[in-house]
Amino acid sequence: ARAGKRQPWRSFTATGSVVVRVGRGAKDNDALVKDARGNDLWLHARAVHGAHVVVPSRGDDVDAELLLDAAHLAAHFSAARGEPRVDVQHTRIKHVKKPGPGAAAGLVHVTQESVLHLRVDAERLRRLLAAEVPS
């Protein structure tokens, strides 16, 4: 990022030194999805407002620990923050589309999703939040 220019996402170093990106708001979620590549993994807390989370991927299976890290970030940066259990949907970014022109910022249509029934681990979340990459 150029000095002084605000990034539309926050970045966190997760398991395996992978940098996971988290949208800052609805318009920023759109920018994050637009910037991602087709095989990147997309996550979002299901049925609540919240940040879109993107994990870079070439299309291989994402490591289970990395998936859990990204799911914790999706849960934390959502309206479900503080809940002990959160359902987190995930799919490849190529299965995430805007519903049409004029759709509200951050609103997407998701196909081929899977749902992770996350039990929030406070220690994992603390580690991730402490590993924010300065923008």
Side-chain angles (χ1 to χ4, degrees), residues 33-113:
V33 168
K34 188 174 182 177
D35 186 69
R37 295 176 307 198
N39 282 320
D40 289 349
L41 188 66
W42 174 91
L43 298 93
H44 188 274
R46 193 166 193 222
V48 296
H49 291 286
H52 294 212
V53 176
V54 172
V55 178
S57 174
R58 294 186 191 136
D60 303 333
D61 286 340
V62 172
D63 176 77
E65 291 299 311
L66 178 55
L67 178 63
L68 281 172
D69 282 354
H72 273 79
L73 290 169
H76 180 74
F77 291 103
S78 77
R81 179 185 291 188
E83 295 293 325
R85 291 191 166 96
V86 180
D87 286 345
V88 177
Q89 62 189 124
H90 59 95
T91 190
R92 298 289 172 183
I93 206 80
K94 62 187 170 188
H95 303 298
V96 177
K97 306 284 185 228
K98 292 294 286 179
L107 182 64
V108 294
H109 177 71
V110 180
T111 58
Q112 299 187 27
E113 75 175 18

